[in-house]
Amino acid sequence: MEGRTALGIELGSTRIKACLVDSDGTPLASGSHTWENELVDGVWTYSLDAVWVGVQAAVRALLESAHDQYGARPDHFGAIGISAMMHGYLAFDAFDNLLTPFRTWRNTGTGRAAAGLTALLGVNIPQRWSVAHAYQAILDEEPHVAAVAHLTTLAGYVHWRLTGQKVLGIGDAAGMFPVDAAAASYDVDRLRLFDSAVATQHEYPSLSELLPRVLTAGQHAGRLTDEGALLLDPAGRLQPGIPFCPPEGDAGTGMVATNAVAARTGNVSVGTSVFAMVVLEQGLSAVHDEIDQVATPAGAPVAMVHCNNGAGELAAWAGVFREFAHATGNEVAADDVYEVLLRSALLGAPDAAGILAYNHLAGEPVVGTDAGCPLVVRSPESELTLANFARSQVYGIFGTLSLGMAVLRRDGVELDAIRAHGGLFRTEGAGQRLLAAALGVPVSVGAGAGEGGAWGAALLAVYLGHAHRVDLAGYLAEQVFAGAPVTVVAPDPEDLAGFAVFLQRYEVGLDVERAAVRVDGARVSRAAGELVR
């Protein structure tokens, strides 16, 4: 097993996962660690200490699992791949000190910078992109800006600490600054535009000096150092020298894990956020505020619809139902609660009987909100049943995603099918069927749909040994997914019609959501004022 395996690690929004695969990409062992972001001084963040506590716990669990299954504890791997949440802001000084707490993709306080950069660069720059965070810090004249020497993402940070290399896979790099697919690097002309605009008002290094070097899938990205080996395995048994593939964002590894890296394919990932990645045959015809233009790990152009809010509100309701069961003297496992909710959703009215659910725990740029306020809205005539309530919650997860995908359709983007992954799809058929209704295309789900990201990172690590003879799309199609079991669900006509009605109400009801955000914001402001007095 040692030396012929690959390790993939993914730092997701709620779990850090590790996956060990053999030379064919078949999973052998796994481990995970649960963590949560924190709202500190109005900023969504994770501490860097929590990063390493979680990574070490996930790797330790994987090594123990491998020992239990195979009677051996690996001290070496053939290759390692790192994946993590895309975007956000990690800024370091020349001495490698973190200058400000990690600002995750979930923060929506960069509106002025994002709008200004979109106008300047002629391409959509979302609020969560690293360059938007960097420019907002410049505009706000934050004290740390003068000391910035290196910017990176979470995946880039973990990779750097393990290998000493300040590099990034092109898919993740495309969420820092626009990339040039032909050059497989950052867009040089747009870098010059940024530098010129900033230099007229502020002292700031050339952005190209601050960003990680860009690599594509199949390129070697360094080796595990002695220090890195101890970070992964403080027990000291893991050997240094293991090669790494380029670190990637969770969107890129999700595309790999669902075999969605070729043109006219796409995938949807559902977790704390929900996003769709659609591989383009050609560029978009116009700039759309709802659409990111990013890349596959191999550098092919991708349109990304990213919604800040995913299954978090459904998870909160699942917790309420589990608490209710406990109060009645019945202990129910969390997975069983989800199973009941998702199965019930299939029995609900096609339009959720007029019940609207907004899952906005955080701001949602796709629909123009800077803060979140989860809501359930219904008329007195709507039939409030478990089935209708559950369907409205699942539809609510896909509401903003559907609006963003409609923008792509109007731009002429065509899709043959969508491949889905994430915990929502572990209940067979439920989330898949309702997603098909929301997007109007067949949705396929593979056997590993619930644990795709770490596996995708491991597959990119395995690909290091194949890149000399086959491109990434060919490798996945021929060696990983050939003959793999896949379930495909086409849109049900009644569900299609029902979701269309739901979405019409959803769009109108966004005025209620925006009003709730304003009311909640006013309440917080008053409370803060009273506290100060």
Side-chain angles (χ1 to χ4, degrees), residues 5-196:
T5 57
L7 172 66
I9 298 172
E10 182 180 60
L11 294 92
S13 301
T14 58
R15 281 202 300 161
I16 298 174
K17 295 169 281 188
C19 178
L20 183 66
V21 303
D22 64 16
S23 57
D24 294 324
T26 303
L28 299 172
S30 64
S32 68
H33 171 79
T34 300
W35 70 338
E36 288 288 347
N37 56 189
E38 301 174 283
L39 188 61
V40 180
D41 297 329
V43 173
W44 291 106
T45 187
Y46 300 83
S47 75
L48 297 190
D49 286 342
V51 167
W52 296 111
V53 168
V55 167
Q56 290 167 6
V59 171
R60 182 169 60 249
L62 178 142
L63 295 174
E64 291 171 354
S65 174
H67 182 271
D68 291 344
Q69 293 182 71
Y70 308 105
R73 185 186 188 281
D75 63 8
H76 192 74
F77 306 111
I80 298 176
I82 302 298
S83 173
M85 297 170 280
M86 295 179 69
H87 315 123
Y89 185 68
L90 277 161
F92 296 87
D93 66 15
F95 303 99
D96 296 339
N97 299 306
L98 183 67
L99 292 170
T100 185
F102 171 35
R103 298 170 184 179
T104 77
W105 55 269
R106 198 173 190 180
N107 291 287
T108 53
T110 59
R112 187 158 59 108
L117 290 173
T118 296
L120 173 70
L121 303 179
V123 64
N124 182 39
I125 303 295
Q127 291 194 47
R128 65 188 176 279
W129 276 28
S130 303
V131 68
H133 284 278
Y135 190 43
Q136 190 66 53
I138 293 170
L139 294 176
D140 292 342
E141 299 182 345
E142 294 191 36
H144 79 270
V145 166
V148 172
H150 173 216
L151 301 174
T152 192
T153 65
L154 184 56
Y157 163 72
V158 173
H159 181 96
W160 163 40
R161 290 293 308 278
L162 296 177
T163 67
Q165 300 296 311
K166 295 176 180 178
V167 300
L168 207 57
I170 192 168
D172 206 8
M176 293 196 78
F177 191 86
V179 298
D180 178 346
S185 189
Y186 303 109
D187 188 304
V188 174
D189 291 336
R190 290 186 167 103
L191 280 172
R192 290 195 188 103
L193 281 173
F194 178 90
D195 288 344
S196 297

Side-chain angles (χ1 to χ4, degrees), residues 460-472:
L460 286 174
V462 174
Y463 180 60
L464 283 175
H466 299 268
H468 65 285
R469 61 173 188 80
V470 64
D471 63 19
L472 180 61

